[in-house]
Amino acid sequence: EPEVTQTPSHQVTQMGQEVILRCVPISNHLYFYWYRQILGQKVEFLVSFYNNEISEKSEIFDDQFSVERPDGSNFTLKIRSTKLEDSAMYFCASSDGGTFSQYEQYFGPGTRLTVT
Amino acid sequence: AQTVTQSQPEMSVQEAETVTLSCTYDTSESDYYLFWYKQPPSRQMILVIRQEAYKQQNATENRFSVNFQKAAKSFSLKISDSQLGDAAMYFCAYRPETSGSRLTFGEGTQLTVNP
């Protein structure tokens, strides 16, 4: 069964450093998302991406964040200058947008980001 | 703005018993989708069950079923014959009908299954 994959599973970085989190969505999917979950809290939407551009972003997704689909398969989230409060689990998700299952977002296993 | 509320931070159930997790939401939309996701200690998000708002019939997936009350904006999850593997954090989520829309999650309910 197709699945969303994310790398790395755990990233440790120092405050102020740039990090790139990588995701490979399911191959025929058209919509891509990033969510984050601070430990012990609920999952929060960051950004959605469709047709090579951001379709929606939350107030969390400020100028420190950017997303890119550099080739036909990868979808990346870049944090330009990490802060301690960026420590969280980051989930990538995708959906196909063309059939009934467009209503379902498939989640990757997450990347745990620790900022020290 | 849509909001999702789970008022039970923690619930526990005896193995083989039935438990119901509560969820309420607020929206001005008439068409939307509701979901329950399970998050085990691995923190993977696993879809348990979905409900389309236009369907009056409650969704069922094996031991998992929902009680969807559209007028009351209530969406509870019932787990029958609870198993040790059901222990996890459960999140209720809402999504408008529009393709590509974000999911809005509740705060989660931590379910413990006692042997």
Side-chain angles (χ1 to χ4, degrees):
Chain A
E1 185 174 331
E3 59 183 17
V4 177
T5 60
Q6 291 185 243
T7 55
S9 56
H10 189 193
Q11 173 91 48
V12 181
T13 189
Q14 289 191 325
M15 195 167 53
Q17 295 296 304
E18 174 184 285
V19 294
I20 297 176
L21 310 183
R22 291 183 167 79
C23 168
V24 178
I26 295 173
S27 63
N28 63 338
H29 282 189
L30 302 175
Y31 296 88
F32 313 114
Y33 312 82
W34 284 102
Y35 294 84
R36 80 171 185 190
Q37 184 185 31
I38 295 171
L39 187 64
Q41 298 186 21
K42 64 180 173 181
V43 179
E44 301 173 290
F45 169 78
L46 290 177
V47 66
S48 58
F49 193 85
Y50 171 71
N51 200 25
N52 285 318
E53 61 182 25
I54 291 173
S55 52
E56 187 181 6
K57 60 183 181 179
S58 72
E59 58 277 6
I60 302 169
F61 194 87
D62 61 23
D63 292 342
Q64 293 296 320
F65 292 89
S66 62
V67 289
E68 191 178 35
R69 190 155 161 82
D71 51 40
S73 59
N74 290 283
F75 179 51
T76 62
L77 173 69
K78 181 192 290 185
I79 308 175
R80 197 161 296 120
S81 177
T82 50
K83 307 184 188 76
L84 293 175
E85 54 264 37
D86 293 327
S87 294
M89 182 73 98
Y90 288 80
F91 292 102
C92 174
S94 69
S95 65
D96 69 8
T99 63
F100 174 77
S101 61
Q102 71 179 302
Y103 310 126
E104 181 173 336
Q105 294 179 18
Y106 293 81
F107 281 77
T111 292
R112 182 185 300 177
L113 177 65
T114 302
V115 182
T116 61
Chain B
Q2 297 92 3
T3 58
V4 179
T5 302
Q6 294 177 249
S7 58
Q8 305 156 315
E10 298 175 350
M11 291 283 284
S12 63
V13 63
Q14 290 295 125
E15 198 175 1
E17 297 292 308
T18 296
V19 65
T20 299
L21 309 184
S22 301
C23 173
T24 58
Y25 59 94
D26 188 27
T27 182
S28 57
E29 306 281 340
S30 58
D31 292 318
Y32 49 86
Y33 301 87
L34 296 164
F35 307 86
W36 279 97
Y37 281 88
K38 172 185 177 181
Q39 187 180 46
S42 67
R43 299 186 74 182
Q44 171 88 49
M45 296 292 287
I46 303 165
L47 179 66
V48 174
I49 198 165
R50 80 164 72 83
Q51 175 78 45
E52 297 85 351
Y54 64 84
K55 288 188 178 178
Q56 292 186 330
Q57 186 173 7
N58 289 323
T60 298
E61 287 287 342
N62 301 314
R63 298 182 294 107
F64 298 88
S65 61
V66 299
N67 183 6
F68 173 50
Q69 302 289 327
K70 191 172 184 180
K73 295 181 181 173
S74 169
F75 182 61
S76 61
L77 174 69
K78 185 170 83 171
I79 306 174
S80 303
D81 186 26
S82 298
Q83 300 176 0
L84 295 177
D86 295 334
M89 180 71 90
Y90 285 82
F91 291 98
C92 177
Y94 164 97
R95 182 190 174 289
E97 185 192 28
T98 309
S99 293
S101 296
R102 67 168 77 179
L103 284 165
T104 299
F105 287 87
E107 302 88 343
T109 297
Q110 182 67 51
L111 178 67
T112 301
V113 181
N114 300 308

